[in-house]
Amino acid sequence: MPSVIIGTIADGRPNFMLCTWVSRVNRTPPIWMTSINRKHLTMNAIRVNGNFSMNFPSTDLVKKTDYVGITSGRDADKSEVFNIFYGETKAPMIEECVLNMELEVEEMIERPDHFIILAKSINTYASQQILTDDKPDIKKMNQIVYTGAEGQPSYWSVGEKIGSAFSIGKKLKE
Amino acid sequence: MPSVIIGTIADGRPNFMLCTWVSRVNRTPPIWMTSINRKHLTMNAIRVNGNFSMNFPSTDLVKKTDYVGITSGRDADKSEVFNIFYGETKAPMIEECVLNMELEVEEMIERPDHFIILAKSINTYASQQILTDDKPDIKKMNQIVYTGAEGQPSYWSVGEKIGSAFSIGKKLKE
């Protein structure tokens, strides 16, 4: 899964949390999904504010990314871990992250231990340095891949390209 | 995102489709989310059957994985692309994939071009060869990472380990 840092205003200050249960869920408009444990401070902040940010860190931010995943905003002030900027909403975004989105909540669906949040992306910000022909370039983004099913949950880099999507299977089609 | 092959019975025969909009959404019980375009044959099959499978291919299956992503079950019989096995439901699972789940639909949430499907995993099957100390091992699984935001959507291997999750940030916490 991708490693994503969720940004909110919680108890009056910027707060950040690692989340890896994230996916796009609609093409047009661009709607995203994240599922967050109901006990998290971030969950309550999203409920109160109706907005949040998603920030995509590169591998050089892995320690800070992990730190905001293991430290609750109830126990520590995480507002100064990153440099912050704002867009149209009051959701804080992270300057050090190469891609940022601000989102407005559309719907929250309750499950026993998590809330599934459906939210529309209203603005996306990409660092110039990650673009190739004006499109995000995954090798430049150098995102953090998360794996959680195994004995030791881990972070990984993206590896070697093994094929172009919607292309490499064309010969089997013929 | 992970590359996942969704298995269903559609129009009376096994059918498979690549999907990368997939995430876990609840811890206990294990509930998963997938979002599928409303026009796909798979979407209708899931609605009719109330169940489906998720199959996780390794990189050696990348061509067949792409093929089932670019070919509709309306145009081609995909029932013989893979060797099939069954569990408790009538959702077909793929022998060649190292990890398989069969799921029962809990809820479908409509959006303009996709349906978001929440489904409970009722059985998971892992190949012995991917286990280390009885847990799935991501390097042995050798999953296919999908990136779609860039100019050329692509498949990638998982790269180098850059840290242990919920651990590498502990020093910042101290």
Side-chain angles (χ1 to χ4, degrees):
Chain A
M1 297 302 294
S3 301
V4 178
I5 301 173
I6 306 282
T8 54
I9 297 292
D11 296 341
R13 68 188 180 202
N15 189 53
F16 299 99
M17 188 197 83
L18 171 63
C19 186
T20 62
W21 291 1
V22 168
S23 177
R24 182 84 169 261
V25 294
N26 194 72
R27 187 71 61 183
T28 310
I31 304 171
W32 290 71
M33 183 286 312
T34 180
S35 188
I36 299 180
N37 191 297
R38 57 166 66 229
K39 293 176 185 169
H40 286 319
L41 186 62
T42 292
M43 185 59 237
N44 192 53
I46 291 174
R47 199 196 321 242
V48 170
N49 300 333
N51 56 49
F52 62 97
S53 69
M54 288 188 182
N55 306 270
F56 293 78
S58 302
T59 56
D60 61 328
L61 285 178
V62 67
K63 285 182 186 172
K64 287 187 173 182
T65 299
D66 192 59
Y67 169 71
V68 299
I70 61 180
T71 307
S72 172
R74 293 192 184 91
D75 303 326
D77 178 357
K78 295 186 273 186
S79 67
E80 298 191 351
V81 176
F82 304 106
N83 294 312
I84 292 169
F85 73 100
Y86 292 91
E88 284 184 61
T89 70
K90 67 174 183 176
M93 288 178 279
I94 299 173
E95 277 187 14
E96 294 91 328
C97 287
V98 291
L99 197 76
N100 316 85
M101 288 193 297
E102 50 183 334
L103 302 103
E104 284 182 346
V105 175
E106 285 195 340
E107 188 174 347
M108 299 201 302
I109 301 138
E110 191 173 358
R111 280 298 179 271
D113 48 46
H114 278 60
F115 276 93
I116 299 152
I117 298 156
L118 306 183
K120 187 161 66 174
S121 165
I122 59 167
N123 284 306
T124 303
Y125 306 82
S127 300
Q128 281 289 340
Q129 75 211 45
I130 65 158
L131 302 180
T132 296
D133 298 334
D134 284 337
K135 300 265 189 184
D137 181 320
I138 194 72
K139 291 309 278 185
K140 292 180 181 173
M141 286 182 69
N142 201 11
Q143 272 184 266
I144 304 171
V145 175
Y146 170 81
T147 60
E150 55 191 346
Q152 172 56 64
S154 298
Y155 304 114
W156 308 82
S157 63
V158 175
E160 296 302 307
K161 182 170 174 176
I162 55 171
S164 295
F166 317 119
S167 171
I168 195 175
K170 274 186 187 165
K171 279 193 181 165
L172 293 182
K173 195 166 182 171
E174 291 159 8
Chain B
M1 298 300 294
S3 301
V4 178
I5 301 172
I6 306 282
T8 54
I9 296 292
D11 295 342
R13 67 189 181 201
N15 188 55
F16 300 100
M17 189 196 83
L18 171 64
C19 187
T20 62
W21 290 2
V22 169
S23 178
R24 182 83 169 259
V25 294
N26 193 73
R27 187 73 59 186
T28 308
I31 303 171
W32 290 71
M33 183 288 310
T34 181
S35 188
I36 298 180
N37 191 297
R38 59 167 65 230
K39 293 177 185 170
H40 285 319
L41 185 62
T42 291
M43 185 58 237
N44 192 55
I46 291 173
R47 197 193 326 238
V48 170
N49 300 334
N51 57 50
F52 62 96
S53 70
M54 288 187 181
N55 306 271
F56 293 78
S58 301
T59 56
D60 61 328
L61 285 177
V62 66
K63 285 182 186 173
K64 286 186 174 182
T65 299
D66 192 59
Y67 169 72
V68 299
I70 60 179
T71 308
S72 171
R74 293 192 184 92
D75 301 327
D77 178 356
K78 294 186 272 187
S79 66
E80 298 191 351
V81 175
F82 303 107
N83 293 312
I84 292 168
F85 73 99
Y86 292 91
E88 284 184 61
T89 70
K90 68 175 184 174
M93 288 179 280
I94 298 174
E95 278 187 13
E96 294 91 329
C97 287
V98 292
L99 196 76
N100 317 84
M101 287 193 297
E102 50 183 333
L103 303 103
E104 284 181 347
V105 175
E106 285 195 341
E107 189 173 349
M108 300 200 302
I109 301 138
E110 192 173 359
R111 281 299 178 270
D113 49 46
H114 277 62
F115 276 92
I116 298 152
I117 298 157
L118 306 183
K120 187 161 66 175
S121 166
I122 59 167
N123 284 306
T124 303
Y125 306 80
S127 301
Q128 281 288 340
Q129 74 209 46
I130 65 159
L131 302 180
T132 297
D133 298 334
D134 284 336
K135 299 265 190 185
D137 181 320
I138 195 71
K139 291 309 277 185
K140 293 180 181 173
M141 286 182 69
N142 201 11
Q143 273 183 266
I144 304 171
V145 176
Y146 171 83
T147 59
E150 56 191 346
Q152 173 57 64
S154 298
Y155 304 114
W156 308 82
S157 62
V158 175
E160 295 302 307
K161 181 169 173 175
I162 57 172
S164 294
F166 317 120
S167 170
I168 195 174
K170 274 184 186 164
K171 279 193 181 165
L172 294 181
K173 193 166 183 171
E174 290 158 11

